[in-house]
Amino acid sequence: HEDPSVAARLDRSVAPVRRFICGMLGAGVLAATAAHFVGPQPQGPDGALVRAQKHCEDGLAAMEQKNYDLAAKLFREANFLVPKHYLPWIWLGNCEELRGDDVAARHAFSRALGLYTQPEWRPQDPLLLIDLRKEIRVLDDKIWSAQKLRPGSK
């Protein structure tokens, strides 16, 4: 399912959001995901955080196997369970971009950025904020260019 042009662009990308995701995959799915779900953070209904963590672990494993459709589905389920957690939105954005859906990727990254700037996530990593904004701008440019190239668009 992977669009070769997207994969080539991602391979050349040095954005810390991408390095962060790749580092998370290389560090081990369980340990990496668990590290981001511990401590005080927005929680959904009873047990939702534990179920969301499992969805994220399974989603990261699916990403490692390049099963981006399954990974995106699992991250969407995690987002439903704990909608105020920014990390599954970042992973969903990466999956959507790898699947070739730039509009869905932009939405996911925008949602992650909006959540990450909330008080419950302070202190924030300024590089993550900068790189989420950069990723959104890159996707905006791609979406705009694709719309301009459509037959019949002005």
Side-chain angles (χ1 to χ4, degrees), residues 42-49 81-83:
Q43 296 198 22
D46 189 38
L49 188 61
L81 291 167
V82 285

Side-chain angles (χ1 to χ4, degrees), residues 1-137:
H1 299 296
E2 189 173 332
D3 178 355
S5 62
V6 172
R9 185 176 73 76
L10 293 179
D11 286 343
R12 290 189 305 271
S13 173
V14 293
V17 169
R18 192 75 54 222
R19 284 197 312 266
F20 172 75
I21 297 303
C22 293
M24 293 292 289
L25 293 174
V29 172
L30 285 169
T33 306
H36 287 278
F37 277 92
V38 297
Q41 49 192 290
Q43 296 198 22
D46 189 38
L49 188 61
V50 172
R51 290 193 315 274
Q53 180 177 343
K54 176 69 172 132
H55 286 312
C56 287
E57 291 167 356
D58 293 346
L60 288 169
M63 281 183 74
E64 285 181 326
Q65 296 173 359
K66 298 185 186 274
N67 187 346
Y68 303 119
D69 292 335
L70 175 60
K73 177 183 180 278
L74 291 164
F75 295 136
R76 276 190 216 96
E77 290 172 6
N79 289 333
F80 178 77
L81 291 167
V82 285
K84 293 186 178 182
H85 199 300
Y86 71 94
L87 198 52
W89 287 103
I90 291 175
W91 289 326
L92 177 60
N94 279 279
C95 285
E96 295 295 8
E97 192 170 7
L98 289 166
R99 293 173 69 217
D101 190 341
D102 294 330
V103 173
R106 189 211 183 280
H107 171 75
F109 286 129
S110 294
R111 184 81 171 125
L113 179 62
L115 291 169
Y116 193 58
T117 57
Q118 298 302 307
E120 57 262 31
W121 295 111
R122 299 224 165 97
Q124 294 148 340
D125 178 355
L127 291 177
L128 181 58
L129 289 169
I130 290 167
D131 292 313
L132 279 170
R133 290 180 181 123
K134 282 182 189 175
E135 189 70 22
I136 291 166
R137 279 195 302 274

